Amino acid sequence: MRRRRIPRIPGCIAIAIGLATLIACSAPPIRAPRVLETWDPGGRVPGGFRQPTGIAIAEDGTVFVADTGNDRILVFDAEGRLLRTFGRRGELPGEFRRPMDLDLDAEGRLYVAELGGDRVQVLSREGRPIRIIRGEDTPAGRFDAAAGVLTAPSGEVYVADFYNDRIVVFRRDGHFERILGGSGRVWPGRLHYPTDLDWIEGELVVADAYNHRIQIFTTAGEAVARWGGPFGSGLPGRGPGSFRVAIGVAVDARNRVYVADLENHRIQIFDRAGDLLSTFGGFGNAPGRFDRPTDLDVGPDGRIHVVDFGNDRIQVFEALSRPDEGAR
């Protein structure tokens, strides 16, 4: 299967960066959270992380990490102690080819989106294979790189089908339901290499990664909001509220939206309306700095876990304060 090359952001779009900087120049109202600890190859993980990409945190605080370069899943307790690993490179059930994104359903089953395997695997928390979703026997056709996966309270499964520029929806049993999105730039509802998904007040939040924006859809597929660049156009930028590859997204219990801004090496946090609340990070390998963060999740205690892809580690940050606690 021929894969399209992932585009790099041109360095000459000065007008886009300038416009994006103008739209959100005030200081965020919530102070940036402090880094608490780093889970790195220095002893916690046999063999160390190698290009970790995805993360999901269970209601009991158990942390699941897609150790993508090692084609395996790592499982930690809430304090970062390694509990178990499972998986290896391969095509069989329970084996992986570049696992990228993770999600847990209401029954605790683990869903793994395989970027290289063009499939979603459903496993028990211990790694026992349950089911595989490929899309090949449906009107949707086979995935071309399954980048993201999200389960709904209803049991539906939403898959970010990366190179096909769409979200494919399945029933709990893996039967095809419908398609959201489609290829395009700038226009609402159009997607360009989507990578991650989450829920906010019953609506779908999509990391429209290479459109450099976040979009919100109803479950029926209507695009109802977007932000990133001027007027949500998705022009890449370095200013507050703009993105250079909006690759990961997570929503906390207060409906705050956390975005992994890959090539700006930072996390940006927004309210439900898309107004910027806080930002943290910056390029580097010191604690609190990032080298291409790819995903994040917020635990039941509010702590923020960020996958620091280029530094081969997970960083844990304190829970975000409320506006009345941390206003500047």
Side-chain angles (χ1 to χ4, degrees), residues 254-274:
R254 294 194 176 99
N255 289 322
R256 296 177 294 210
V257 181
Y258 301 66
V259 182
D261 188 4
L262 182 78
E263 293 192 7
N264 282 323
H265 311 287
R266 66 185 177 187
I267 305 301
Q268 297 196 73
I269 307 172
F270 302 83
D271 65 16
R272 176 64 177 81

Side-chain angles (χ1 to χ4, degrees), residues 115-136:
L115 193 73
D118 300 319
R119 63 184 183 177
V120 171
Q121 289 201 63
V122 187
L123 308 103
S124 70
R125 287 171 57 127
E126 291 71 37
R128 177 178 59 82
I130 297 172
R131 184 170 63 255
I132 292 176
I133 303 173
R134 296 182 185 273
E136 57 191 356

Side-chain angles (χ1 to χ4, degrees), residues 74 130 159 195 277:
L74 305 176
I130 297 172
V159 180
T195 49
L277 296 176

Side-chain angles (χ1 to χ4, degrees), residues 88-123:
R88 61 182 181 181
R89 184 169 180 81
E91 307 286 344
L92 297 175
E95 298 177 340
F96 305 108
R97 288 187 57 211
R98 297 200 66 79
M100 182 167 177
D101 192 39
L102 307 175
D103 193 38
L104 293 152
D105 69 11
E107 284 74 41
R109 290 179 290 252
L110 179 68
Y111 289 68
V112 181
E114 289 183 66
L115 193 73
D118 300 319
R119 63 184 183 177
V120 171
Q121 289 201 63
V122 187
L123 308 103

Side-chain angles (χ1 to χ4, degrees), residues 5-213:
R5 187 173 71 86
I6 297 175
R8 295 193 62 80
I9 300 172
C12 59
I13 313 180
I15 187 170
I17 295 173
L19 285 170
T21 304
L22 290 174
I23 61 173
C25 57
S26 60
I30 299 178
R31 69 169 176 80
R34 295 178 298 109
V35 63
L36 299 176
E37 56 182 328
T38 297
W39 305 353
D40 59 20
R44 294 186 191 236
V45 182
F49 289 116
R50 183 166 172 253
Q51 299 178 341
T53 305
I55 191 167
I57 304 177
E59 290 184 0
D60 63 0
T62 304
V63 180
F64 295 77
V65 177
D67 188 15
T68 304
N70 286 318
D71 295 300
R72 64 182 179 178
I73 306 299
L74 305 176
V75 187
F76 301 85
D77 67 14
E79 303 308 315
R81 292 181 288 263
L82 183 66
L83 300 176
R84 58 188 174 276
T85 70
F86 54 86
R88 61 182 181 181
R89 184 169 180 81
E91 307 286 344
L92 297 175
E95 298 177 340
F96 305 108
R97 288 187 57 211
R98 297 200 66 79
M100 182 167 177
D101 192 39
L102 307 175
D103 193 38
L104 293 152
D105 69 11
E107 284 74 41
R109 290 179 290 252
L110 179 68
Y111 289 68
V112 181
E114 289 183 66
L115 193 73
D118 300 319
R119 63 184 183 177
V120 171
Q121 289 201 63
V122 187
L123 308 103
S124 70
R125 287 171 57 127
E126 291 71 37
R128 177 178 59 82
I130 297 172
R131 184 170 63 255
I132 292 176
I133 303 173
R134 296 182 185 273
E136 57 191 356
D137 297 325
T138 74
R142 188 181 176 97
F143 302 134
D144 192 356
V149 62
L150 178 69
T151 58
S154 64
E156 286 185 322
V157 181
Y158 291 69
V159 180
D161 190 4
F162 187 76
Y163 286 112
N164 284 325
D165 300 318
R166 63 187 182 179
I167 308 300
V168 188
V169 187
F170 298 85
R171 295 202 306 259
R172 183 196 303 268
D173 59 10
H175 285 81
F176 170 76
E177 281 282 324
R178 59 192 180 278
I179 292 173
L180 284 60
S183 298
R185 313 295 288 269
V186 181
W187 298 110
R190 300 288 92 187
L191 301 171
H192 190 48
Y193 301 166
T195 49
D196 201 9
L197 313 132
D198 208 341
W199 296 109
I200 188 165
E201 297 178 338
E203 295 180 322
L204 185 68
V205 185
V206 178
D208 188 7
Y210 285 84
N211 271 335
H212 316 292
R213 64 185 179 183

